[in-house]
Amino acid sequence: MDRRLLNEKSLVFANADPHAVSDYVNQHVGAHRILLPNSGHPEASLSHRAFGSLDLCQISYGGRVHVTSPALETLYHLQILLRGHCLWRGRGEEHYFTPGELLLINPDDPVDLTYSDDCEKFIVKLPATLLDKACSENQWRHPGEGVRFAPRHRLEELDGFVNLISLVCQEAEAEQTIPQVQEHFAKIIASKLLGLQGSNVSREPLTAGCPSFERLVEFIDNNLKQDISLEQLAELAHMSARSLYALFEKHAGTTPKHYIRQRKLETIHARLSDPRAAVRNVTEVALDYGFLHLGRFSECYKSTFGELPSDTLRRRN
């Protein structure tokens, strides 16, 4: 599978110091450390594009390198081997990934990878909120422990996935691209991944079984600028507070309060990302959605989307 998905428009480093490339990856793709052999002078290359809530990265370190990370925290990594091989170690197992195979790294999985000299891979960084939202929008049952994937997959398990990724790369490198289109593509990728046999998501639809939850989700989305109380939700669903918590745990894998906060953050992120949305400053938008402590808001936003809200607003201009 010797192919290039991102072209020269996205090239950030060519024939570069691997440590410089690693520093850039730490900033944009995921926290990690690299260990290089004592001998030789490998030359690394990297292409990168931000695409809606995704990051697309094509990387080669030009030599054998050991990559480690304690965990990606709020991020998933989809890694597609393009050339060479990559030794993965985890959960007491190890496997040599080769072209045509997918490695899926969950947010709480430690990373232990060894690249071959000729290894090149394409990485898609997905925030956990994107997969949670895809579960909700597809009305699939969200696992209470969070979405998890088995690490090893073959590309043929996802029909047309390489063509989809190629199309996403073309859209990312287009002269003009619409944020809403980017997010549509991001949702399609998330939904495709959730369809893998190795995920813990049940695609049994919620529609027939839980009209109460659907009604609550609609009410929350229509009143995101309001201070929604648990008492309001319990009254709307005609249930006790205890039953309300059980309902959200079953269908959203979280508490009502956390679900409301996540929906507010996702809506703010969409507004800050959209050049057509009327936004004067971050403070105004945060206050609109009830975030009165701006320091805590910024911390929560960054832990969710990997950047400060001011960075999102600056990037869209």
Side-chain angles (χ1 to χ4, degrees):
M1 191 187 161
D2 196 351
R3 64 186 297 175
R4 187 159 193 87
L5 295 168
L6 291 171
N7 66 31
E8 289 73 15
K9 290 181 180 180
S10 302
L11 188 64
V12 181
F13 292 96
N15 305 320
D17 178 355
H19 290 289
V21 171
S22 176
D23 289 344
Y24 184 93
V25 171
N26 270 317
Q27 184 177 355
H28 296 279
V29 185
H32 72 291
R33 295 179 59 192
I34 65 169
L35 181 64
L36 296 164
N38 294 325
S39 60
H41 301 282
E43 296 181 336
S45 64
L46 179 138
S47 299
H48 172 253
R49 282 277 166 160
F51 187 75
S53 54
L54 306 177
D55 277 86
L56 313 171
C57 175
Q58 191 155 323
I59 185 169
S60 169
Y61 279 108
R64 183 180 174 86
V65 61
H66 187 203
V67 180
T68 58
S69 174
L72 298 171
E73 297 183 346
T74 60
L75 304 171
Y76 293 82
H77 269 197
L78 162 67
Q79 302 193 1
I80 303 174
L81 267 290
L82 303 178
R83 288 190 296 117
H85 64 261
C86 177
L87 173 62
W88 164 84
R89 294 185 178 92
R91 306 173 188 175
E93 304 176 46
E94 63 178 43
H95 176 72
Y96 277 97
F97 282 82
T98 56
E101 289 188 290
L102 302 177
L103 169 61
L104 270 163
I105 303 175
N106 298 300
D108 56 348
D109 288 345
V111 177
D112 187 334
L113 304 170
T114 303
Y115 291 31
S116 65
D117 290 347
D118 58 344
C119 180
E120 183 174 24
K121 62 172 61 175
F122 184 84
I123 300 172
V124 182
K125 181 186 84 174
L126 306 95
T129 52
L130 177 65
L131 291 166
D132 293 341
K133 190 174 181 181
C135 267
S136 175
E137 292 186 352
N138 286 298
Q139 298 189 341
W140 295 334
R141 297 189 182 277
H142 189 286
E145 69 274 22
V147 175
R148 290 194 61 82
F149 296 96
R152 296 165 52 187
H153 304 272
R154 297 289 305 177
L155 268 175
E156 56 259 31
E157 294 178 43
L158 289 167
D159 290 338
F161 192 68
V162 172
N163 291 333
L164 172 61
I165 292 293
S166 296
L167 186 59
V168 165
C169 290
Q170 290 176 35
E171 183 68 24
E173 293 177 327
E175 293 298 327
Q176 294 184 337
T177 182
I178 301 170
Q180 288 85 349
V181 172
Q182 295 183 8
E183 283 306 319
H184 281 309
F185 274 117
K187 290 175 185 178
I188 292 170
I189 288 175
S191 295
K192 288 280 282 186
L193 292 180
L194 292 173
L196 282 168
Q197 292 297 320
S199 85
N200 64 345
V201 173
S202 169
R203 286 181 287 164
E204 177 186 348
L206 295 172
T207 311
C210 196
S212 295
F213 185 71
E214 294 171 16
R215 186 164 62 248
L216 292 176
V217 167
E218 183 179 3
F219 176 81
I220 290 168
D221 284 345
N222 289 338
N223 294 275
L224 281 176
K225 291 188 177 183
Q226 309 303 318
D227 184 13
I228 303 171
S229 69
L230 299 184
E231 290 76 15
Q232 280 178 290
L233 296 179
E235 183 179 351
L236 181 65
H238 305 293
M239 61 178 56
S240 67
R242 183 175 180 178
S243 297
L244 183 72
Y245 273 93
L247 184 73
F248 272 82
E249 178 62 32
K250 178 179 180 181
H251 297 295
T254 188
T255 65
K257 184 177 179 180
H258 186 264
Y259 180 87
I260 293 168
R261 186 182 65 181
Q262 286 300 112
R263 291 295 298 125
K264 286 175 181 278
L265 287 170
E266 289 165 3
T267 304
I268 291 172
H269 180 265
R271 285 194 61 188
L272 295 178
S273 302
D274 185 356
R276 298 179 299 178
V279 176
R280 288 194 297 180
N281 54 60
V282 170
T283 299
E284 182 181 80
V285 179
L287 293 175
D288 267 354
Y289 288 89
F291 291 98
L292 304 182
H293 193 294
L294 298 178
R296 281 201 293 267
F297 163 71
S298 292
E299 289 175 7
C300 189
Y301 186 99
K302 185 174 182 181
S303 70
T304 303
F305 302 108
E307 64 180 6
L308 292 170
S310 56
D311 295 333
T312 306
L313 182 60
R314 188 181 305 114
R315 195 173 67 240
R316 80 172 190 170
N317 296 324

